[in-house]
Amino acid sequence: MATLSSSVASRSYRSGYSASFSQVNGNRHQSLSFLSQGLNSHELCVRFQRKSGQSSVFMQDGAVVTDSNPKESKSSLKGVKDDVLSVLSQDVAKVGVESDGHSQSTVSITVVGASGDLAKKKIFPALFALYYEGCLPEHFTIYGYSRSKMTDVELRDMVSKTLTCRIDKRANCGEKMEEFLKRCFYHSGQYDSQEHFTALDKKLKEHEAGRISNRLFYLSIPPNIFVDAVKCASSSASSVNGWTRVIVEKPFGRDSETSAALTKSLKQYLDEDQIFRIDHYLGKELVENLSVLRFSNLIFEPLWSRQYIQNVQLIFSEDFGTEGRGGYFDNYGIIRDIMQNHLLQILALFAMETPVSLDAEDIRNEKVKVLRSMRPIKVEDVVIGQYKSHTNGGVTNPGYTDDKTVPKDSLTPTFAAAALFIDNARWDGVPFLMKAGKALHTKRAEIRVQFRHVPGNLYNRNTGSDFDKATNELVIRVQPDEAIYLKINNKVPGLGMRLDRSNLNLLYSARYSKEIPDAYERLLLDAIEGERRLFIRSDELDAAWALFTPLLKEIEEKKRIPEYYPYGSRGPVGAHYLAAKHKVQWGDVSLDQ
């Protein structure tokens, strides 16, 4: 019989905080807890990480305390405990737990492109949500930076119109907003001006007031000025005594060549670990839950292979078109905009092998292996489409080329479906079907896993029903109305033997009362904390582009004409033929979807 043994070590600090460390049965599951002894009510969040013989402690204020003289790895409780306590006792002043407060660190967040839609609709609201939830450090400053002429007051007025509070915490909403807006400031400048970034640096230093300075730049700007902004921020506004990180929004190039050039240019001014390439879909709750669902539930992991899974479908649809914003979209198209990043990232997370740990590098290593194992995409396994004008109920919706920002002769696809394959032992022969489109009949993003039929199914013979066509299906609905449900065959109550398909359903809104955080909240918090597992590494990006670049070149060089589909429909008929070719039926078109 196994015996449970545990050890606990604790230590008090002159600041009035005490730290405790525990280990159970010799397992390497360490935890640190800090208990306030009356100094103030501020909560201190700590994460402890050990890798490569080095100890690091991640503090709530964004600072990272690292043992600068790592010793040989110690397997005993005492060894690990001493490492932690040594790091904390030597460097505690640097992370702001001393009672005098003179050496506290601060985080300065600069939103470059602050007057744009993304900043107004997503970034500032996400930062406020983090502040509202108590996830931002005690000392932080937010600066908006763009070419528009604006005062601090005007920025605050602009930002305040997009801020909302959590449904379950509205009591002090107005007060929190006022406090947050007081931390927001504005600086006008050109994105390629060293002088203007130097002036920004001066303002940031005034707010940092001699504290250890950590700086995060969010580039919410067009990709053609990424490098200019990074060059200026790196040379003129970097932290001199803390970390500097830069969040880069997609698109990361248009193909392998332009992506590699962008990466090379960024690395002239930044190290790879300073670059946070954001794909907001990786921050969505149901996407992050993928690995939890698979690796922490015994019923799923044994089924996660070609032996039991017939196909996997990754579906993304929007019920609106470009509607005046076609200029950007026409230069990229649906394959670059959705498939090459959002859906491919989800596919890699879904199909990867069990990582060695939850460390960012271990997870990203497994994702890269999946991408490098993928078979080149054949053009005959791809269907492209473009929506056209359609009148329904007296309302006429314009076609893609009716958009004034789109060329009249544009062949840019607004819809694409593709069959992809992973040539490894786990997934050999299993089709991964992707489908993404604009101006379709519904808005959704989901993962559908269709399992193989039951061999020699008794009920085909006894009931006359073809349950080979009613296989089990696991559906992970990413948005809207987040849910996980499993379709099973079940007996209808009654004296007869009649079967139907039923859902075992986990609807998040019914199960969890708390509002689900926006993806940008999670990703911004991770960037502040230096957590990289939901961000894209350069070799991961290279592998993704290597898969899609040959396909894109063939489509564009041969000027392949898209199949036209009515606005508000289910998309091109060709998508159904593509699925049938691989003996698959799209799960989102069945009656019991």
Side-chain angles (χ1 to χ4, degrees):
M1 181 177 177
T3 58
L4 179 69
S5 62
S6 65
S7 302
V8 178
S10 63
R11 178 166 178 168
S12 298
Y13 296 96
R14 63 175 182 268
S15 63
Y17 284 91
S18 64
S20 65
F21 169 87
S22 64
Q23 177 165 314
V24 179
N25 276 347
N27 292 326
R28 297 192 58 172
H29 297 285
Q30 299 101 25
S31 65
L32 283 171
S33 61
F34 278 70
L35 303 175
S36 173
Q37 297 179 348
L39 276 182
N40 54 53
S41 60
H42 182 65
E43 179 186 358
L44 189 67
C45 301
V46 180
R47 285 191 296 126
F48 173 62
Q49 184 181 68
R50 286 181 62 85
K51 60 180 179 180
S52 305
Q54 192 176 61
S55 300
S56 298
V57 181
F58 297 81
M59 312 303 289
Q60 185 188 15
D61 64 1
V64 181
V65 182
T66 304
D67 189 351
S68 58
N69 296 300
K71 303 175 179 60
E72 294 182 5
S73 179
K74 303 173 184 178
S75 59
S76 68
L77 170 65
K78 184 179 185 303
V80 180
K81 176 197 72 176
D82 290 346
D83 275 354
V84 183
L85 297 181
S86 174
V87 171
L88 286 173
S89 61
Q90 290 172 16
D91 295 324
V92 68
K94 296 181 182 178
V95 293
V97 294
E98 284 193 320
S99 57
D100 56 18
H102 293 312
S103 299
Q104 288 180 322
S105 65
T106 182
V107 174
S108 298
I109 303 166
T110 302
V111 181
V112 182
S115 59
D117 276 352
L118 179 65
K120 289 186 284 190
K121 294 178 180 178
K122 289 294 184 181
I123 302 171
F124 283 113
L127 289 169
F128 172 64
L130 291 176
Y131 174 71
Y132 195 73
E133 295 288 339
C135 294
L136 289 182
E138 180 181 358
H139 297 285
F140 75 91
T141 303
I142 297 172
Y143 253 90
Y145 183 100
S146 70
R147 291 175 294 205
S148 304
K149 298 296 182 182
M150 200 184 307
T151 64
D152 292 346
V153 173
E154 288 171 332
L155 173 78
R156 291 165 185 166
D157 182 60
M158 178 191 79
V159 170
S160 66
K161 295 174 182 177
T162 64
L163 302 186
T164 58
C165 296
R166 292 283 184 231
I167 291 173
D168 53 346
K169 292 185 179 180
R170 290 191 183 275
N172 59 345
C173 185
E175 179 185 336
K176 284 286 189 179
M177 281 188 184
E178 288 183 18
E179 293 172 358
F180 174 78
L181 291 171
K182 288 177 183 177
R183 306 280 194 105
C184 296
F185 303 89
Y186 185 77
H187 183 75
S188 175
Q190 298 297 315
Y191 300 127
D192 60 352
S193 171
Q194 300 274 8
E195 180 184 352
H196 293 166
F197 272 89
T198 300
L200 172 67
D201 177 66
K202 183 178 179 181
K203 288 185 177 180
L204 291 176
K205 286 178 178 176
E206 291 175 1
H207 291 282
E208 290 161 353
R211 300 182 181 93
I212 293 173
S213 162
N214 298 310
R215 294 184 179 178
L216 176 67
F217 293 87
Y218 196 120
L219 302 189
S220 177
I221 52 179
N224 61 309
I225 49 179
F226 279 170
V227 177
D228 289 337
V230 166
K231 177 182 178 181
C232 294
S234 175
S235 59
S236 303
S238 283
S239 170
V240 295
N241 58 1
W243 50 255
T244 299
R245 296 170 186 149
V246 178
I247 296 179
V248 183
E249 271 277 354
K250 76 174 182 71
F252 312 116
R254 296 187 78 255
D255 50 30
S256 291
E257 185 179 347
T258 55
S259 175
L262 176 61
T263 296
K264 183 178 179 181
S265 297
L266 291 176
K267 287 187 176 181
Q268 289 179 357
Y269 310 106
L270 300 169
D271 294 331
E272 174 64 27
D273 63 2
Q274 291 180 280
I275 304 170
F276 287 69
R277 298 175 189 84
I278 191 171
D279 183 336
H280 73 274
Y281 254 69
L282 293 181
K284 290 188 176 291
E285 188 69 39
L286 271 293
V287 175
E288 191 168 13
N289 192 46
L290 256 181
S291 57
V292 177
L293 184 71
R294 175 180 169 189
F295 297 126
S296 69
N297 292 288
L298 185 60
I299 61 170
F300 290 123
E301 176 56 20
L303 306 180
W304 223 258
S305 73
R306 62 188 296 273
Q307 185 176 357
Y308 296 102
I309 292 178
Q310 182 187 27
N311 69 85
V312 180
Q313 300 175 19
L314 306 165
I315 298 170
F316 174 95
S317 66
E318 291 178 333
D319 56 1
F320 54 88
T322 54
E323 296 168 0
R325 296 186 295 273
Y328 161 80
F329 184 85
D330 197 68
N331 193 39
Y332 291 92
I334 198 74
I335 296 176
R336 290 186 179 92
D337 194 42
I338 302 297
M339 280 190 167
Q340 184 272 339
N341 42 74
H342 298 336
L343 297 188
L344 191 61
Q345 284 292 317
I346 294 174
L347 185 154
L349 274 174
F350 179 94
M352 71 180 184
E353 296 297 318
T354 309
V356 174
S357 73
L358 292 178
D359 178 80
E361 297 312 305
D362 289 334
I363 292 173
R364 296 196 290 189
N365 286 344
E366 296 303 328
K367 287 169 64 183
V368 170
K369 289 178 186 177
V370 171
L371 297 176
R372 289 178 175 169
S373 299
M374 296 191 71
R375 189 185 305 172
I377 305 173
K378 296 178 181 179
V379 71
E380 55 266 30
D381 277 336
V382 177
V383 172
I384 59 173
Q386 188 184 99
Y387 66 88
K388 63 181 181 180
S389 176
H390 180 62
T391 300
N392 185 22
V395 177
T396 299
N397 292 300
Y400 176 66
T401 54
D402 295 331
D403 188 327
K404 293 180 180 179
T405 62
V406 175
K408 291 296 181 184
D409 60 349
S410 174
L411 297 177
T412 300
T414 61
F415 176 97
L420 293 83
F421 294 87
I422 303 171
D423 289 334
N424 64 15
R426 182 182 290 271
W427 299 111
D428 183 38
V430 176
F432 284 76
L433 296 182
M434 284 186 181
K435 182 169 67 171
K438 288 182 171 293
L440 296 173
H441 71 295
T442 187
K443 178 182 178 179
R444 76 169 72 210
E446 61 187 16
I447 306 159
R448 305 184 81 100
V449 186
Q450 293 184 350
F451 293 91
R452 297 191 182 278
H453 68 271
V454 177
N457 195 324
L458 290 172
Y459 294 97
N460 285 350
R461 184 170 62 249
N462 289 359
T463 66
S465 301
D466 186 2
F467 276 90
D468 285 355
K469 294 181 181 178
T471 59
N472 300 128
E473 185 175 23
L474 174 66
V475 181
I476 302 169
R477 190 192 300 144
V478 178
Q479 67 175 33
D481 302 323
E482 295 86 349
I484 300 171
Y485 56 96
L486 179 65
K487 294 185 177 182
I488 63 168
N489 297 319
N490 191 58
K491 179 183 176 298
V492 176
L495 298 178
M497 178 57 69
R498 188 164 64 89
L499 279 65
D500 73 354
R501 297 184 81 190
S502 302
N503 292 343
L504 301 179
N505 193 354
L506 168 59
L507 183 63
Y508 270 55
S509 60
R511 175 65 180 84
Y512 303 106
S513 58
K514 188 174 182 180
E515 185 181 355
I516 295 176
D518 184 78
Y520 282 92
E521 297 171 33
R522 176 174 288 105
L523 293 169
L524 278 163
L525 182 59
D526 280 356
I528 292 169
E529 294 183 343
E531 172 57 66
R532 294 173 176 81
R533 64 192 172 85
L534 298 180
F535 294 89
I536 302 169
R537 203 168 61 189
S538 61
D539 59 339
E540 196 177 341
L541 187 61
D542 293 343
W545 275 121
L547 184 64
F548 275 95
T549 295
L551 171 70
L552 288 163
K553 284 189 175 181
E554 184 169 358
I555 290 173
E556 290 166 356
E557 287 176 0
K558 293 184 177 180
K559 296 186 181 299
R560 187 174 171 188
I561 298 174
E563 181 182 342
Y564 296 100
Y565 62 96
Y567 191 115
S569 67
R570 293 181 180 271
V573 175
H576 301 284
Y577 287 114
L578 174 65
K581 173 184 172 181
H582 297 284
K583 299 179 180 178
V584 173
Q585 181 182 0
W586 290 108
D588 62 330
V589 299
S590 62
L591 295 176
D592 60 341
Q593 55 184 285

